[in-house]
Amino acid sequence: MLNVVVIEGRLTAAPELKTTNNGVSVTSFSIANKKNFKDASGEYKTDFFDVVAWRKTAEFVCGNFKKGSRIIIEGVLSPREYTDKNGNKARSANLKVAGFDFLE
C-alpha cells in the first residue's frame, strides 16, 4: 500500500520543540497551503495541514524555521481516533514528516 504525501506551504506559527516522557524530541505545527485557483467569489482559498516531526527532524525544524517560512514536506498521512472533551468519538489526521526542504 502506498501512503505518500508531498505538500508545500508556509508555517502558521513558529514551531516549538517538546520532549516526550521518554526523552524523544517532537514538534507539532501547521502549514498553510494556498490553492492556485480562485473560488466562485474570486478569492483564493487556503487549506491548513497539521504536521508532526520527530527526533532530529523536529530539532532541525525548530532551529531553522519560523512563522511564515516556506517549506515542502514529504511524509505519511496518519489518521487517529480520539474522544473529544464532550465524550464524542472524533477522527483527525496529521502529516508525519519523513523529509523536508527549504523553499526560500
Side-chain angles (χ1 to χ4, degrees):
M1 297 276 167
L2 184 62
N3 180 357
V4 177
V5 177
V6 178
I7 193 161
E8 175 265 331
R10 293 190 181 275
L11 275 72
T12 62
E16 293 182 34
L17 188 64
K18 296 182 180 176
T19 306
T20 67
N21 292 339
N22 295 331
V24 178
S25 299
V26 62
T27 187
S28 298
F29 55 95
S30 66
I31 60 169
N33 174 270
K34 186 172 84 172
K35 295 180 184 264
N36 57 1
F37 59 88
K38 295 180 181 179
D39 65 10
S41 67
E43 299 291 323
Y44 288 103
K45 294 293 182 182
T46 302
D47 292 324
F48 297 89
F49 296 93
D50 295 326
V51 180
V52 176
W54 293 89
R55 298 175 179 77
K56 295 290 184 191
T57 303
E59 294 169 12
F60 188 88
V61 167
C62 289
N64 293 281
F65 289 88
K66 61 182 190 231
K67 179 180 180 178
S69 293
R70 197 166 162 215
I71 189 171
I72 188 165
I73 296 171
E74 177 185 349
V76 297
L77 196 58
S78 180
R80 70 181 187 99
E81 294 182 2
Y82 62 96
T83 303
D84 68 14
K85 63 182 179 183
N86 297 323
N88 300 314
K89 292 194 183 277
R91 295 172 63 169
S92 69
N94 60 26
L95 180 61
K96 289 188 179 178
V97 177
F100 62 91
D101 206 351
F102 295 94
L103 288 178
E104 297 179 309

